[in-house]
Amino acid sequence: CAVIWIFTLSNLRGIRESTFIGIVIVIIKIAPLVLIAAVGIFFADFPRAFSAPVAPNAGPLWGMSGVLLWAFIGLESATIPSESVKNPKKTIPLATVAGVLLTAAVYIGGALVIGGVIPQSELLASKAPYVDAAAKIFGEWGRTFMTVVGIVGIVGSLNGWILIQGQVSRSAAEEGLFPKYFLKTNKHGAPIGVTVGSILMTVLFLLTYQPSVAECVNRLINLSVIAMLLPYFYSIIAFGYMFFLNKKIFSKTEKTVLPAVGCIALAYVSFAILGLGESMISLAFVLFLLCAPFYCFSRSPEQKGDFLLSEQTKTDKSFLEKNPTTT
């Protein structure tokens, strides 16, 4: 809880201060991973890294779907603070693509080195492959160092999420999807959603507290993943709906590729939701129940009225508003 509020206070100082802290944390996380990939080349037995696994059933991919998706969550958030970015149309796509390529290079390189440094029988039982690889390359001090770096990485990711929760709530309020209360900012320009989100995060942490750190982290990861999977699911359905309404504007290739992409996305999201287990699916249902009335009450009276109208009625209403003298 103390860590949550330390990063909350830094975010309340403004986006510049929060971004600086985020850059420092990223450097602390990435530098050791690059070091292991670079130095580990001289210790790795690469034929072993590409050999067949000792145990054919290393673990069900079904149950790991949440952790796999966790590695990619947050990519879409790069567009959220666009109002605070210089030349966002160029900077945001460049930063997003560069970030993905850099991350992919670091983790692919690290995975190859780890597979060559640690025997597969040990690797299958390892709970922290980077820590174990650092111990084999640098000795026991490497294990301690990587453990500290891992803790900094996990804790430091809160800084970015706290920044995003304030920006998302403000953007939703600007679109009329959240109460206008979330448009408020402090003297440093930090949105009120930062504080509200941190309060909710603290309550959630206390309610889901586990005596084991590993269990606590896994539970929070699964909770974050299920909370993101719901809007992903809604977005895919909306994508399909909008595609079939506007089929005429797409080329023949797009008419083939886009539905295929949508079906693959829907299959993966459904697979990931089911893989999280009954308890997380139950929690997702509770989240849906909580969000549905909140969405309805947050809409303006005009939006609530339009929600009940058919498309033809909306068209007629718009025509009459533009031509009040028409009978």
Side-chain angles (χ1 to χ4, degrees), residues 36-37 39-40 43 110-119 122-123 126 128-140 142-143 146:
I36 286 181
V39 178
F43 296 84
L112 291 174
V113 167
I114 289 172
V117 169
I118 305 176
E122 295 180 25
L123 187 57
S126 175
Y130 270 98
V131 174
D132 293 338
K136 289 186 176 293
I137 296 171
F138 302 107
E140 283 304 311
R143 181 190 301 277
M146 283 303 298

Side-chain angles (χ1 to χ4, degrees), residues 220-283:
L220 289 175
I221 285 176
N222 287 333
L223 185 63
S224 301
V225 168
I226 198 72
M228 290 301 296
L229 283 172
L230 291 176
Y232 284 175
F233 182 82
Y234 300 149
S235 299
I236 295 168
I237 300 301
F239 166 78
Y241 178 72
M242 293 175 67
F243 173 80
F244 286 108
L245 282 182
N246 302 279
K247 281 195 296 185
K248 295 180 180 179
I249 68 173
F250 296 105
S251 65
K252 289 184 179 179
T253 304
E254 289 174 330
K255 288 179 180 179
T256 303
V257 173
L258 293 180
V261 171
C263 289
I264 293 171
L266 182 62
Y268 179 78
V269 169
S270 303
F271 175 85
I273 290 175
L274 293 174
L276 290 174
E278 294 179 1
S279 62
M280 286 293 123
I281 293 174
S282 300
L283 184 57

